[in-house]
Amino acid sequence: MTCIAVLPYYKVQREVTGLTQEIKSNERSMILYSDKIVTKYREFHIKDVFDMSFRRMGNEGGFFYLHTSTGVYPYMVKIDPKPFIQSYRKITIPKYS
C-alpha cells in the first residue's frame, strides 16, 4: 500500500510530579492511504471519513479536524494541512467525464 500524503501533528502531554509540572510535545504523523487514514493510535477506513477541516489558532498552526462516522477528532498541527486535505478529496470525490 502506497502512502499518498503525510500530515505531521503533535500531542502535548503534561506530567505533574510533586511540585513540578513537565510539558512534553510528541511529534506524530497522520498518513493517508487510498483506503484508510492512520494515526499513532487510530485507523480510519476511508469510507468512514466524511470530511476534514482546519481552524487556525494564532500566527502559526491550529487544529485539524477529522470528521468521521464515530465523531470528530481534533489534531494539533503546526503547518497548514491544505495539501493533505486536497489529496484526500482527490481520492474520495468522484470524477465525472
Side-chain angles (χ1 to χ4, degrees):
M1 190 169 320
T2 305
C3 168
I4 296 171
V6 176
L7 176 64
Y9 69 96
Y10 65 99
K11 174 79 173 173
V12 175
Q13 295 177 318
R14 292 178 178 86
E15 292 182 14
V16 179
T17 55
L19 299 174
T20 63
Q21 176 176 299
E22 188 175 336
I23 299 174
K24 295 180 182 178
S25 178
N26 297 316
E27 298 289 328
R28 300 176 180 176
S29 294
M30 180 179 297
I31 304 169
L32 172 65
Y33 297 99
S34 60
D35 65 337
K36 63 184 174 182
I37 295 174
V38 178
T39 66
K40 181 166 178 142
Y41 294 109
R42 291 188 175 99
E43 188 172 298
F44 303 96
H45 195 280
I46 207 76
K47 70 176 178 57
D48 295 329
V49 177
F50 300 140
D51 200 7
M52 298 175 182
S53 60
F54 175 63
R55 177 148 181 120
R56 185 169 300 284
M57 296 296 203
N59 294 334
E60 186 177 303
F63 284 94
F64 171 79
Y65 297 98
L66 192 60
H67 304 262
T68 73
S69 61
T70 57
V72 178
Y73 294 85
Y75 295 91
M76 295 188 304
V77 296
K78 294 180 181 175
I79 63 168
D80 188 349
K82 190 174 185 176
F84 188 87
I85 294 170
Q86 289 172 337
S87 296
Y88 161 76
R89 291 189 176 147
K90 280 182 187 175
I91 64 170
T92 59
I93 296 175
K95 295 178 182 170
Y96 298 100
S97 305

